[in-house]
Amino acid sequence: MAQKPGIPKGTRDFSPVEMVKRNYIFDTVRSVFQKYGYLPIETPAMENLSTLMGKYGEEGDKLLFKILNSGDYSSDYIQKLDMLGKLDEFAKNEEFEIYRKEGKKLPEVAKKLGIRVSQLLTPEISEKGLRYDLTVPFARFVVQHQNEITFPFKRYQIQPVWRADRPQKGRYREFFQCDVDVVGSNALLNEVELIQIVDEVYRMLNINVVLKLNNRKILSGIAEVLGAADKIIDITVAIDKLDKIGLEKVNEELAAKGLSQEAIDTLQPIINLSGTNDEKLEELKAVLANSEIGMKGIEELEKVFTYLKALNLDLDVELDLTLARGLNYYTGAIFEVKAKDMAIGSITGGGRYDDLTGIFGLKDVSGVGISFGADRIYDVMNQLDLFPKKDGVRTQALFINFGGEDELYALNVLKAVRAAGINSELYPDSAKMKKQMTYANKNEIPFVILIGEKERQEQVVTLKNMESGDQSAVSVEELIKIISNI
Amino acid sequence: MAQKPGIPKGTRDFSPVEMVKRNYIFDTVRSVFQKYGYLPIETPAMENLSTLMGKYGEEGDKLLFKILNSGDYSSDYIQKLDMLGKLDEFAKNEEFEIYRKEGKKLPEVAKKLGIRVSQLLTPEISEKGLRYDLTVPFARFVVQHQNEITFPFKRYQIQPVWRADRPQKGRYREFFQCDVDVVGSNALLNEVELIQIVDEVYRMLNINVVLKLNNRKILSGIAEVLGAADKIIDITVAIDKLDKIGLEKVNEELAAKGLSQEAIDTLQPIINLSGTNDEKLEELKAVLANSEIGMKGIEELEKVFTYLKALNLDLDVELDLTLARGLNYYTGAIFEVKAKDMAIGSITGGGRYDDLTGIFGLKDVSGVGISFGADRIYDVMNQLDLFPKKDGVRTQALFINFGGEDELYALNVLKAVRAAGINSELYPDSAKMKKQMTYANKNEIPFVILIGEKERQEQVVTLKNMESGDQSAVSVEELIKIISNI
């Protein structure tokens, strides 16, 4: 019996209509990345588990898709089951030996030891996993190919990643990331260039955005001044609620998190920070005057703003101290981009990191990068109807097939139309007119071309505009002109 | 200690230089596919194993990359081990029960039953696998989405596939396929269109090719006439050796394969088939006069040649009866494309199939398609030096960074150059001149632009052509013109 076809939960098929829109986004970011001197790399979907494990926290390790070793892995594995005492992790564990000697079954043993059986088994039967993000593979790439690379290394990477997250609306187990990074340069010009890229991408995509900017060093400075280095996340989370719950409640929350009254007092100008970016920076300078790292952060931000002013950038750039994404990871600038006309999370984000490649043995390589969220950008453009009507991809004209001599004649007109760069097709057989017109309608092909004996004798074609319904006899040259110019 | 980074065997990283070339190939085929009215789809990397298993033969099943179920799969699994008698496959097997009752361990049991342990275990811990080709996912897609699709459905798909093959030169465990297919139409015009696509793609890529054409119905007709339906592969393989071993040896081989002397006599005109395609077809007509299916195959080929003549196609199309790729699969036309100027296997291939979607429950959907081999096309273009020097992707100009006022000024000239569509960059800091020039050299950036105080005052830039070494002062307008026109 035939199987009922389906796909794994959390994954998606993309139809032609969806793909044309998705490619429009990818092609746009690609073209901008390249204009700024960034070039593509690609890494394999599968990485060694030794590359991936331990890079995303304990939760991340669980969310890796692991690939079964090929071959008859399980014979080995079963043999290992029989020799379990020899496994590294358990050889040391006397308790384990005792349970085993008592003849206890493996799940019982694992339960008594408080571990999951799969923690024990997976390393025996799987050595590879699917890429979880593009950052760790990029770090691995840079270290592995460091002798072939000229630094600063400017690369972009647009590839799918896989996470065994619980699927839900807007969260998938397979999705694309579009990362653009430069490594091997401390210059703040790189931050500025990424901001220019954000500006240009979203201008091309017609999305109104605000870019929020912060600096990890300023957050460290605030923590230093308050004497509360461990509370910086609590502080940013509390400040972020100002609009919703008001100053009084924010202060209550800060106190509840264990901040002293003195620290809360010191923090007041920061919680109430307002005005232009320059005004905010002036306020901050007063508060952070005694923090070296804080003042360094301010200096960095000031320099970025100086560049942006010199460039006369139109983009709405806003200093936002509550921005703390990936705090443990970033060391300088932190970016986030939000759409102004639709409530949705950030559509682009990133920042500077000072030791990405250290985990793979290459120290002191600073980098800065941002990632464009293709799925969210797609949702914004779809909802706000921002995708271009004419995309240069979809079929522009369908030639009706009347068979015989008409078909051969149409085939040659079609050849000329395609040579002019117009995506077009001839219905593959002389099916009923209605069927052919339905095909054009369903596929939203804007023009239909009819060539019968009359047209052939008069050296014209009948061109039907499917939207207006207008129909007229035109020469092939006119035909090409009309379709190209729409 | 830091890990030594590496990637799984049989997989590859692609550097910017490689990616630019690969994308050139992908972009070219994409643009041609679209010109002919084909649109992209994408399917998930992971498919349910129930979709993939049994579609590629026993060997193919072994070469699927299988993904471990997430969560604590192995507790369940271990419990199942304890209840093994209950597993469907084995519940029926009395012998198995007996072994289990005797207290035999699982590997022993498996050995006695002549099965591999992994055959038993894999279904318990893995339900998903990586896509092995694009054909089966496409069939699954068509059936799953049949109510959203307007037939004939013209789609292309460019995505990676994964096979746990033994890695060797030119064979990878992850590689891209570029498939273009139309399903839901029997019209031979589709075959013609695919031949036009081959012609246009290879003209754009500058590769001289010959397209070999055969028809499965003719092969069936030959087998019918000879009364040797089961020997058609042996026959095509033997005929294929004519050039190498000569007619006598071919006939010897045919006899050795069990062909009667009468059959071998009948086959002589076919073995010696030569001349133009029309002449070959005339010869074939004489031999196949009494085979209905054989004559149908000839009729189909004649119709295709009629179309090609009407289109005045330049492409070298050659009727080749030894072409039998995927014989069990194809039902009509069979295509193969070879590069003329380099000895390498086929770089494109495909054919017509009449029941692709039947396995998923949708009967009588005929289709025809071809697949472009990106890796081999890459090798041909690389070896014959066919990649364009100017690709519109790589960086065209590097602005030297002199810091301070010069930097801000350069940044604005750069902005104008980028606005003119030129991929360009400013070195991110005022490093030593030598370092900046080395960066330009290593990255093969053809132009370097220097703007110091003198240039700023005179409103010019110094443009250095890195290949010729020529250096001159030009205005920004001239600069853009020179770089754009190269």
Side-chain angles (χ1 to χ4, degrees):
Chain A
M1 211 196 75
Q3 303 163 302
K4 194 184 158 202
I7 51 177
K9 65 179 176 180
T11 68
R12 293 168 287 177
D13 281 330
F14 294 107
S15 71
V17 171
E18 291 165 321
M19 278 307 299
V20 168
K21 292 177 178 176
R22 285 172 64 84
N23 283 342
Y24 179 75
I25 295 172
F26 293 135
D27 289 345
T28 301
V29 296
R30 277 215 287 178
S31 74
V32 176
F33 294 165
Q34 286 163 188
K35 197 182 281 182
Y36 283 79
Y38 290 81
L39 289 177
I41 69 162
E42 280 186 10
T43 61
M46 296 186 273
E47 293 274 356
N48 291 326
L49 280 179
S50 56
T51 298
L52 301 175
M53 297 285 280
K55 309 303 189 297
Y56 308 104
E58 203 180 318
E59 194 53 29
D61 283 353
K62 280 189 213 159
L63 298 183
L64 291 172
F65 277 111
K66 297 173 190 79
I67 293 162
L68 265 178
N69 294 343
S70 28
D72 193 12
Y73 65 87
S74 44
S75 282
D76 292 352
Y77 154 62
I78 290 294
Q79 277 162 31
K80 287 214 171 116
L81 261 190
D82 286 336
M83 308 182 299
L84 259 181
K86 289 194 184 163
L87 286 178
D88 280 358
E89 192 175 347
F90 291 88
K92 309 165 216 153
N93 194 320
E94 284 176 32
E95 228 182 327
F96 180 77
E97 279 300 312
I98 295 162
Y99 288 132
R100 287 291 289 169
K101 276 185 193 139
E102 287 170 3
K104 290 245 185 338
K105 296 224 173 75
L106 194 63
E108 278 179 88
V109 177
K111 202 172 172 186
K112 281 196 185 275
L113 293 174
I115 56 161
R116 290 175 309 127
V117 174
S118 55
Q119 282 178 285
L120 173 61
L121 301 187
T122 301
E124 302 301 322
I125 57 176
S126 170
E127 285 160 1
K128 293 182 288 289
L130 293 179
R131 177 170 64 217
Y132 182 87
D133 70 2
L134 301 180
T135 307
V136 168
F138 175 50
R140 195 264 311 142
F141 180 99
V142 169
V143 178
Q144 189 174 334
H145 302 284
Q146 54 186 292
N147 297 325
E148 304 140 43
I149 289 172
T150 311
F151 293 97
F153 181 50
K154 299 170 82 171
R155 86 86 173 80
Y156 73 84
Q157 193 169 354
I158 301 178
Q159 290 193 278
V161 302
W162 295 269
R163 297 181 185 181
D165 255 321
R166 187 189 304 273
Q168 48 181 266
K169 193 177 158 11
R171 192 198 283 168
Y172 305 101
R173 293 187 146 190
E174 174 181 58
F175 58 97
F176 271 73
Q177 292 191 332
C178 313
D179 281 18
V180 56
D181 292 79
V182 49
V183 295
S185 166
N186 294 305
L188 290 165
L189 191 58
N190 298 301
E191 275 82 343
V192 173
E193 195 158 71
L194 293 175
I195 295 172
Q196 285 184 281
I197 287 176
V198 164
D199 175 51
E200 189 150 346
V201 163
Y202 287 112
R203 247 188 308 120
M204 286 180 75
L205 295 179
N206 250 316
I207 302 178
N208 293 316
V209 296
V210 53
L211 183 138
K212 305 204 169 193
L213 189 59
N214 197 5
N215 191 298
R216 165 64 198 259
K217 295 188 177 81
I218 292 180
L219 296 180
S220 299
I222 292 171
E224 192 176 270
V225 166
L226 302 180
D230 56 326
K231 297 214 165 55
I232 190 68
I233 293 271
D234 291 337
I235 293 170
T236 57
V237 167
I239 299 178
D240 196 29
K241 295 181 184 166
L242 183 65
D243 286 347
K244 271 191 214 146
I245 63 176
L247 181 60
E248 205 173 324
K249 296 259 183 211
V250 168
N251 286 335
E252 279 172 26
E253 184 167 323
L254 289 169
K257 292 286 179 189
L259 222 62
S260 70
Q261 191 54 47
E262 194 194 340
I264 294 175
D265 290 343
T266 311
L267 204 56
Q268 293 310 298
I270 289 178
I271 301 177
N272 286 307
L273 211 59
S274 65
T276 63
N277 294 325
D278 286 346
E279 286 163 1
K280 288 180 184 172
L281 283 173
E282 285 311 311
E283 282 276 7
L284 277 172
K285 270 188 208 171
V287 180
L288 298 180
N290 294 322
S291 164
E292 194 183 330
I293 189 158
M295 291 306 282
K296 176 88 179 98
I298 290 173
E299 189 193 319
E300 288 184 8
L301 270 181
E302 282 183 327
K303 181 140 195 210
V304 168
F305 284 123
T306 304
Y307 277 120
L308 295 180
K309 267 171 216 151
L311 279 165
N312 232 327
L313 215 67
D314 254 351
L315 183 71
D316 191 354
V317 179
E318 192 182 286
L319 170 55
D320 181 352
L321 287 185
T322 67
L323 190 62
R325 45 180 298 143
L327 192 64
N328 294 320
Y329 183 66
Y330 295 126
T331 51
I334 307 176
F335 308 103
E336 196 165 275
V337 179
K338 294 208 165 192
K340 285 181 176 176
D341 304 325
M342 184 173 153
I344 194 168
S346 92
I347 53 179
T348 295
R352 178 170 287 275
Y353 40 83
D354 278 345
D355 192 23
L356 180 69
T357 55
I359 37 171
F360 298 113
L362 185 63
K363 297 279 175 207
D364 299 323
V365 178
S366 182
V368 56
I370 53 174
S371 183
F372 286 80
D375 285 311
R376 283 193 178 164
I377 294 172
Y378 183 96
D379 288 346
V380 170
M381 294 189 65
N382 226 12
Q383 188 153 329
L384 301 179
D385 197 20
L386 300 178
F387 285 107
K389 299 297 164 249
K390 196 179 152 117
D391 46 44
V393 175
R394 274 176 285 191
T395 307
Q396 290 300 298
L398 174 75
F399 286 71
I400 299 297
N401 193 331
F402 293 112
E405 282 299 306
D406 292 334
E407 183 188 35
L408 292 181
Y409 186 87
L411 207 49
N412 273 296
V413 177
L414 173 60
K415 194 177 165 184
V417 170
R418 283 177 177 157
I422 295 168
N423 299 344
S424 45
E425 54 183 296
L426 170 61
Y427 197 86
D429 59 49
S430 52
K432 289 213 176 90
M433 182 68 144
K434 195 182 162 206
K435 193 174 177 190
Q436 297 191 45
M437 293 303 278
T438 302
Y439 177 85
N441 263 322
K442 292 261 175 145
N443 288 303
E444 296 181 32
I445 299 174
F447 288 103
V448 162
I449 295 156
L450 304 101
I451 312 178
E453 206 183 330
K454 185 166 168 289
E455 280 90 355
R456 277 197 285 132
Q457 278 166 0
E458 296 174 9
Q459 301 263 340
V460 294
V461 307
T462 295
L463 176 66
K464 187 182 167 79
N465 182 318
M466 293 296 279
E467 206 184 336
S468 67
D470 293 347
Q471 197 164 310
S472 55
V474 296
S475 70
V476 175
E477 291 71 34
E478 288 169 317
L479 169 74
I480 290 171
K481 235 174 169 175
I482 293 170
I483 302 179
S484 302
N485 285 345
I486 197 179
Chain B
M1 211 196 73
Q3 302 164 305
K4 195 183 156 201
I7 51 178
K9 63 178 177 179
T11 68
R12 293 168 287 176
D13 282 329
F14 294 107
S15 70
V17 171
E18 291 165 321
M19 278 306 299
V20 168
K21 291 177 177 177
R22 285 172 66 84
N23 283 343
Y24 179 75
I25 295 172
F26 293 136
D27 289 346
T28 301
V29 296
R30 275 215 289 180
S31 74
V32 176
F33 293 165
Q34 287 164 188
K35 198 183 280 182
Y36 284 79
Y38 290 82
L39 289 177
I41 70 162
E42 280 186 9
T43 62
M46 296 185 273
E47 294 274 353
N48 292 323
L49 280 178
S50 56
T51 299
L52 301 175
M53 296 285 281
K55 308 304 189 298
Y56 308 105
E58 204 180 320
E59 194 54 29
D61 283 352
K62 281 189 213 158
L63 299 183
L64 291 172
F65 277 111
K66 298 173 191 79
I67 292 161
L68 265 178
N69 295 342
S70 28
D72 193 12
Y73 64 86
S74 44
S75 283
D76 291 352
Y77 154 63
I78 291 292
Q79 275 161 32
K80 285 215 172 118
L81 261 189
D82 286 337
M83 307 184 300
L84 258 180
K86 289 193 184 165
L87 287 178
D88 280 358
E89 194 177 344
F90 291 88
K92 308 166 217 149
N93 194 321
E94 285 177 32
E95 229 181 327
F96 179 78
E97 278 301 310
I98 294 162
Y99 289 132
R100 285 293 289 171
K101 277 186 192 137
E102 286 172 5
K104 293 245 185 334
K105 296 225 173 73
L106 194 64
E108 280 179 85
V109 177
K111 201 172 173 188
K112 281 198 186 271
L113 293 173
I115 56 162
R116 290 176 309 127
V117 173
S118 55
Q119 283 178 283
L120 172 61
L121 301 187
T122 301
E124 302 300 322
I125 56 176
S126 169
E127 285 159 1
K128 293 182 286 290
L130 293 180
R131 177 170 63 217
Y132 182 87
D133 70 3
L134 302 180
T135 308
V136 168
F138 175 50
R140 195 263 311 143
F141 180 100
V142 169
V143 178
Q144 190 175 335
H145 302 284
Q146 54 186 291
N147 297 326
E148 304 141 43
I149 290 172
T150 311
F151 294 96
F153 182 48
K154 299 170 83 172
R155 87 86 173 80
Y156 73 83
Q157 193 169 354
I158 302 178
Q159 290 193 278
V161 301
W162 295 269
R163 298 181 183 179
D165 255 320
R166 187 191 304 274
Q168 49 181 267
K169 193 178 159 9
R171 193 198 281 169
Y172 305 101
R173 292 186 148 191
E174 173 179 60
F175 58 97
F176 271 73
Q177 292 192 331
C178 312
D179 281 20
V180 55
D181 292 81
V182 49
V183 295
S185 167
N186 295 304
L188 290 166
L189 191 58
N190 298 302
E191 274 83 342
V192 173
E193 195 158 69
L194 293 175
I195 294 171
Q196 285 184 281
I197 287 176
V198 164
D199 175 51
E200 190 149 344
V201 163
Y202 288 111
R203 247 187 309 120
M204 286 179 76
L205 295 179
N206 252 316
I207 303 178
N208 293 317
V209 296
V210 53
L211 182 138
K212 305 205 170 195
L213 190 58
N214 196 5
N215 191 298
R216 165 63 198 261
K217 295 187 177 80
I218 292 180
L219 296 180
S220 298
I222 293 171
E224 191 176 272
V225 165
L226 302 181
D230 56 327
K231 297 213 166 55
I232 191 68
I233 294 272
D234 290 337
I235 293 169
T236 57
V237 167
I239 298 178
D240 196 28
K241 295 182 184 167
L242 183 65
D243 285 349
K244 269 192 216 149
I245 62 176
L247 181 60
E248 205 174 325
K249 295 259 185 210
V250 168
N251 286 336
E252 278 173 26
E253 185 168 323
L254 289 169
K257 291 288 179 187
L259 221 63
S260 71
Q261 190 52 48
E262 195 194 339
I264 294 174
D265 289 345
T266 311
L267 204 55
Q268 292 311 297
I270 290 178
I271 302 177
N272 285 307
L273 211 60
S274 65
T276 64
N277 293 327
D278 286 346
E279 286 163 1
K280 286 180 183 172
L281 283 172
E282 285 310 310
E283 282 276 8
L284 276 173
K285 268 188 207 170
V287 180
L288 298 179
N290 294 321
S291 164
E292 195 183 330
I293 189 160
M295 291 306 284
K296 177 88 178 100
I298 290 174
E299 190 191 317
E300 288 184 7
L301 271 180
E302 282 183 329
K303 182 141 194 209
V304 168
F305 284 123
T306 305
Y307 277 119
L308 295 180
K309 266 172 217 152
L311 278 165
N312 233 328
L313 214 66
D314 255 350
L315 183 71
D316 192 353
V317 179
E318 192 183 286
L319 170 55
D320 182 352
L321 288 184
T322 67
L323 190 61
R325 47 180 295 141
L327 193 65
N328 295 320
Y329 183 68
Y330 294 126
T331 52
I334 306 174
F335 308 104
E336 196 165 273
V337 179
K338 294 209 165 193
K340 285 181 176 177
D341 304 324
M342 184 172 153
I344 194 170
S346 91
I347 54 179
T348 295
R352 179 170 286 276
Y353 39 84
D354 277 346
D355 192 21
L356 180 69
T357 55
I359 37 171
F360 298 112
L362 186 62
K363 296 282 176 206
D364 299 324
V365 178
S366 183
V368 57
I370 52 174
S371 183
F372 287 79
D375 284 310
R376 283 193 177 163
I377 294 172
Y378 183 97
D379 288 345
V380 170
M381 294 187 66
N382 226 13
Q383 187 152 329
L384 301 180
D385 198 20
L386 300 178
F387 285 107
K389 299 296 164 249
K390 195 179 152 111
D391 47 43
V393 175
R394 274 176 285 191
T395 307
Q396 290 300 298
L398 174 75
F399 286 71
I400 298 297
N401 193 331
F402 293 111
E405 282 299 305
D406 291 335
E407 183 188 36
L408 292 182
Y409 186 87
L411 207 50
N412 273 296
V413 178
L414 173 61
K415 194 177 167 187
V417 170
R418 282 176 178 158
I422 295 168
N423 299 344
S424 44
E425 53 184 295
L426 169 62
Y427 197 86
D429 59 48
S430 53
K432 287 212 176 95
M433 182 71 144
K434 194 180 163 206
K435 192 173 177 192
Q436 298 191 44
M437 294 302 278
T438 302
Y439 178 86
N441 263 323
K442 291 259 177 147
N443 288 303
E444 297 181 31
I445 299 174
F447 289 101
V448 162
I449 296 156
L450 304 100
I451 312 177
E453 206 183 331
K454 184 164 170 288
E455 281 90 355
R456 277 197 285 132
Q457 280 166 0
E458 295 173 9
Q459 301 262 340
V460 294
V461 308
T462 296
L463 177 66
K464 185 182 167 81
N465 182 319
M466 293 295 279
E467 207 184 338
S468 68
D470 292 348
Q471 197 164 309
S472 56
V474 296
S475 71
V476 174
E477 292 70 35
E478 288 169 318
L479 169 75
I480 289 171
K481 235 176 171 173
I482 293 171
I483 302 179
S484 303
N485 286 344
I486 199 181

